């Protein structure tokens, strides 16, 4: 039907919360329910900017802290024309991490405040729904160790969790907190229900602008 757009649905949460698994399952379930749906992820490591980010995360190159923050944001902006085109053509996008990761991670470094960190992402397409997968450190630990990438330490992840909590105080964003300590099926069912409602609510609304 002409004029009906897709929804922008974002999954956020600490490392090992199960975001990538749930994002994949959500895309498949929404497709089965008849919604045209595609998955995206940030960072998108395949672009030129994404390769710089990948090399930083893998500790193969060192980039100045402001610089890497701006590259993460640029990596989102370079996808914005495609994101808008897909949403307008009726495709729902399920996105594994977005600007909230950008702010939560950089602002966990020394001498970075939330306000500065948000600025480069102001005006991005606003998610219709942000699903925050919350998992206790204890349960996260049972899911195996961290990888070898930068940021993958307990002390840093604790700071990140606090920053996410601050971001979730912002009621202009449609946050939904989901207890991701439950089994995969339960979490999946909740994400699917919340997403179907968001798709229905968004379909005749204009695409919003984040943090404006
Ligand atoms: N990350 C991700 C950031 O620091 N800023 C951002 O803007 C984004 C999108 O990259 N530890 C961090 C969070 C993760 C790391 O993400 C790689 P993933 O989902 O493990 O590929
Ligand atoms: Mg990771």
């Amino acid at each position: 039907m002409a004029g009906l757009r897709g929804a922008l649905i974002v999954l956020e949460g600490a490392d090992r919360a199960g975001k990538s698994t749930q994002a994949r399952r959500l895309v498949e379930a929404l497709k089965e329910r008849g919604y045209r749906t595609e998955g995206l992820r940030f960072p998108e490591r395949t672009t030129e900017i994404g390769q710089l980010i990948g090399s930083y995360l893998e500790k193969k190159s060192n980039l100045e802290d402001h610089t890497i923050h701006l590259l993460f944001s640029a990596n989102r902006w370079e996808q914005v024309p495609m994101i808008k085109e897909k949403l307008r053509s009726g495709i729902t996008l399920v996105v594994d991490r977005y600007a909230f990761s950008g702010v939560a991670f950089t602002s966990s470094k020394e001498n970075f405040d939330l306000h500065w960190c948000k600025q480069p992402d102001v005006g991005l397409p606003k998610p219709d729904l942000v699903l925050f997968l919350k998992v206790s450190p204890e349960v996260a630990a049972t899911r195996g160790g961290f990888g070898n990438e930068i940021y993958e330490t307990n002390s840093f992840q604790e700071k990140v969790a606090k920053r996410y909590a601050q971001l979730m105080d912002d009621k202009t964003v449609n946050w939904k907190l989901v207890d991701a300590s439950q089994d995969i099926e339960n979490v999946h069912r909740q994400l699917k229900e919340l997403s179907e409602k968001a798709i229905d609510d968004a379909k005749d609304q204009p695409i919003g602008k984040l943090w404006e």
Side-chain angles (χ1 to χ4, degrees):
M1 279 193 291
L4 294 188
R5 71 163 174 97
L8 182 60
I9 299 171
V10 169
L11 272 72
E12 285 282 0
D15 285 296
R16 299 183 297 180
K19 286 184 301 303
S20 305
T21 307
Q22 290 292 346
R24 251 192 325 271
R25 300 239 359 223
L26 184 56
V27 171
E28 290 315 311
L30 292 174
K31 277 190 195 162
E32 268 170 36
R33 300 275 297 178
Y35 300 102
R36 289 160 68 212
T37 310
E38 294 179 17
L40 299 179
R41 79 228 47 82
F42 290 110
E44 172 48 68
R45 301 190 196 207
T46 59
T47 68
E48 286 175 64
I49 293 170
Q51 286 169 36
L52 296 172
I53 294 171
S55 141
Y56 173 82
L57 289 169
E58 293 165 30
K59 301 177 195 166
K60 290 178 181 154
S61 68
N62 187 21
L63 289 169
E64 191 276 332
D65 290 328
H66 301 79
T67 309
I68 183 64
H69 183 71
L70 296 172
L71 287 175
F72 272 114
S73 178
N75 185 236
R76 285 181 279 279
W77 281 107
E78 64 181 342
Q79 307 288 331
V80 166
M82 175 274 285
I83 289 175
K84 286 185 172 168
E85 200 178 293
K86 298 222 179 204
L87 293 176
R88 287 185 181 133
S89 75
I91 297 170
T92 283
L93 297 174
V94 172
V95 189
D96 186 352
R97 296 192 190 277
Y98 200 54
F100 313 98
S101 282
V103 176
F105 279 78
T106 302
S107 68
S108 294
K109 296 178 173 178
E110 294 290 315
N111 302 319
F112 280 88
D113 66 65
L114 225 51
H115 178 75
W116 187 88
C117 291
K118 284 164 83 171
Q119 298 316 301
D121 286 308
V122 168
L124 279 179
K126 182 176 181 170
D128 298 293
L129 173 65
V130 187
L131 296 160
F132 186 80
L133 273 58
K134 188 177 167 67
V135 69
S136 66
E138 294 76 29
V139 171
T142 67
R143 294 180 180 178
F146 287 116
N148 289 320
E149 294 201 333
I150 203 163
Y151 306 146
E152 295 183 330
T153 65
N154 283 323
S155 60
F156 196 79
Q157 298 279 325
E158 277 166 29
K159 291 183 192 154
V160 170
K162 286 188 187 130
R163 294 306 203 171
Y164 270 127
Q166 279 178 282
L167 288 171
M168 277 188 272
D169 287 338
D170 174 4
K171 302 305 174 203
T172 70
V173 172
N174 184 23
W175 290 98
K176 296 287 177 203
L177 190 81
V178 174
D179 175 7
S181 307
Q182 308 167 84
D183 66 71
I184 290 185
E185 285 306 322
N186 267 328
V187 176
H188 172 64
R189 197 164 346 101
Q190 286 169 46
L191 299 186
K192 193 172 63 181
E193 278 168 22
L194 291 163
S195 298
E196 288 193 59
K197 182 174 185 309
I199 292 169
D200 195 50
D201 291 345
K203 65 181 188 297
D204 43 19
Q205 297 293 319
I207 301 168
K209 291 187 175 198
L210 182 63
W211 293 327
E212 269 194 358

